[in-house]
Amino acid sequence: MAQQDMGDLQSQIDEIEALSSIYGDEWCVIDEASRIFCIKISDSSDHPKWTACLQTILPADYPSRAPPLYQINAGWLRGPERMELSNSLEEIYLENAGESILYLWVEKIREFLVEKSLSSDSVEESELRKTMVTEEEEDYDDEEDHIDYSVLKNTDQAHLFVDLLGGEELPEIKHGEPITERRSTFQPHLAMVVTPKQVRLVLDKLYENKKIASATHNIYAYRIHCEDKNTFLQDCEDDGETAAGGRLLHLLQILDVRNVMVVVTRWYGGILLGPDRFKHINNCARSILVQEGFAECSEEETGRGGGKSKKSRGKKTK
């Protein structure tokens, strides 16, 4: 077994060196000790229209006995498209079990982006992208189409590589109270996550709700604490709301929350909010962090009678 582990490690080293040579600056080492890597993939090197980021963690028994853990970061990739691409990657792994497959995955994603780019002028694609317009482009009546979050269910779902990896549960997703101002509605969601795969599971589950999937923006950020190295695996997504994801991640950093993912859904109501939209996004996020015990109330919130006792950061207390 030790000899096989050494063989896997050498295969990983050889594969990483090859990928770094092939992709240059597009290839990024996030945490070499933890075997966490990322590559930016576009449909065109000159004038890219579609871009995705493939983030991977290489298990100790890859490639001989297990696939890489992965996450595809692309705010536009949702629902059937995400499932189609995930199924394609699963097929590649099954067809090449025991072999190094990251190059095949990268090129499959690139092929997917090129095909999407070629079809982006179709009427169907134009209709799809209407759901991702910025706040200056859409007039959305939230009063007629509001979600009743009290009936959202968080049942387990089958997912890519569950059997191969021994199973990984969908974390419980909490939903906070919506904030509405000038016809724009903001709704926070929170889940405890310890792997990038769980981040993907949470996003996929949220996007099963048609109202969330068709929202103007779904901004998210997460921080996963790697205890053995005392480092963080963290990322964020603006989903068309420029700089909102970075601000949300900064909030998680200054509150020092760990193993938490926060998603803020926004339905634009046709009236520009300017910088106030960032205030509402962070207020939503902070409110659900307080609600679930990952942050303490401010003095102002306590004064309004909404205070909670201080709880340990990064873990839920009973």
Side-chain angles (χ1 to χ4, degrees):
M1 184 65 69
Q3 185 176 359
Q4 188 175 41
D5 290 342
M6 289 300 296
D8 283 332
L9 178 59
Q10 187 59 52
S11 294
Q12 291 184 23
I13 293 173
D14 294 342
E15 184 177 22
I16 296 309
E17 288 181 353
L19 292 171
S20 178
S21 175
I22 293 170
Y23 297 113
D25 292 340
E26 293 180 340
W27 178 262
C28 176
V29 178
I30 297 177
D31 188 334
E32 186 170 9
S34 299
R35 316 302 290 163
I36 304 173
F37 307 93
C38 183
I39 181 170
K40 182 179 179 182
I41 310 167
S42 302
D43 59 317
S44 169
S45 58
D46 297 328
H47 303 287
K49 294 172 62 177
W50 299 98
T51 300
C53 180
L54 175 64
Q55 188 168 294
T56 64
I57 300 178
L58 303 184
D61 51 358
Y62 166 79
S64 67
R65 302 187 302 278
L69 296 170
Y70 79 94
Q71 175 185 341
I72 302 173
N73 294 326
W76 52 267
L77 186 61
R78 301 175 178 178
E81 282 192 315
R82 181 176 287 274
M83 186 57 66
E84 176 189 347
L85 183 54
S86 295
N87 288 341
S88 296
L89 300 188
E90 179 181 12
E91 289 175 4
I92 288 174
Y93 172 72
L94 294 175
E95 291 171 359
N96 300 273
E99 300 177 12
S100 300
I101 59 168
L102 289 184
Y103 175 79
L104 297 176
W105 275 9
V106 171
E107 292 309 308
K108 171 55 70 172
I109 295 173
R110 193 184 309 281
E111 178 185 322
F112 180 88
L113 297 178
V114 170
E115 292 176 356
K116 184 173 180 63
S117 179
L118 293 175
S119 64
S120 62
D121 292 334
S122 68
V123 175
E124 180 179 352
E125 188 66 18
S126 297
E127 290 298 317
L128 175 63
R129 295 193 69 184
K130 285 181 181 178
T131 65
M132 300 192 65
V133 296
T134 61
E135 64 172 9
E136 291 83 4
E137 296 173 320
E138 182 176 39
D139 185 358
Y140 187 91
D141 190 350
D142 57 272
E143 293 180 354
E144 295 180 358
D145 220 1
H146 188 66
I147 302 174
D148 181 4
Y149 284 89
S150 64
V151 300
L152 283 176
K153 304 298 182 182
N154 295 300
T155 56
D156 291 337
Q157 62 177 9
H159 201 270
L160 178 64
F161 298 154
V162 166
D163 293 335
L164 295 171
L165 294 176
E168 187 159 350
E169 293 184 0
L170 169 71
E172 182 179 8
I173 304 174
K174 300 291 186 176
H175 308 280
E177 292 297 320
I179 295 174
T180 300
E181 181 179 338
R182 287 174 278 177
R183 298 176 60 195
S184 278
T185 297
F186 302 81
Q187 178 80 35
H189 324 279
L190 179 147
M192 294 183 65
V193 294
V194 293
T195 67
K197 182 180 179 183
Q198 288 187 320
V199 172
R200 189 175 69 249
L201 286 171
V202 170
L203 290 173
D204 287 348
K205 186 62 181 178
L206 288 173
Y207 291 149
E208 286 180 10
N209 186 293
K210 293 181 180 179
K211 304 300 182 183
I212 294 177
S214 62
T216 316
H217 310 289
N218 282 293
I219 304 108
Y220 71 83
Y222 66 87
R223 296 185 85 218
I224 297 172
H225 186 221
C226 306
E227 294 186 4
D228 54 339
K229 302 296 181 182
N230 195 29
T231 58
F232 286 91
L233 178 60
Q234 55 190 17
D235 202 357
C236 60
E237 173 58 52
D238 296 335
D239 194 22
E241 189 71 283
T242 305
R247 292 168 184 252
L248 184 56
L249 178 57
H250 181 63
L251 176 68
L252 301 186
Q253 291 169 337
I254 62 176
L255 292 176
D256 193 28
V257 295
R258 305 181 178 197
N259 301 327
V260 173
M261 173 183 187
V262 174
V263 182
V264 177
T265 302
R266 182 193 180 184
W267 294 268
Y268 174 58
I271 301 174
L272 301 180
L273 300 184
D276 283 350
R277 64 190 188 277
F278 298 119
K279 177 185 69 176
H280 294 312
I281 291 168
N282 272 21
N283 282 347
C284 269
R286 196 177 194 287
S287 70
I288 199 168
L289 288 167
V290 170
Q291 172 188 309
E292 298 305 316
F294 293 97
E296 38 180 333
C297 287
S298 65
E299 294 182 2
E300 180 183 357
E301 291 169 324
T302 305
R304 291 198 297 264
K308 283 189 177 184
S309 59
K310 182 177 180 180
K311 298 181 180 181
S312 301
R313 293 174 178 171
K315 57 182 179 180
K316 185 82 173 289
T317 57
K318 301 292 184 182

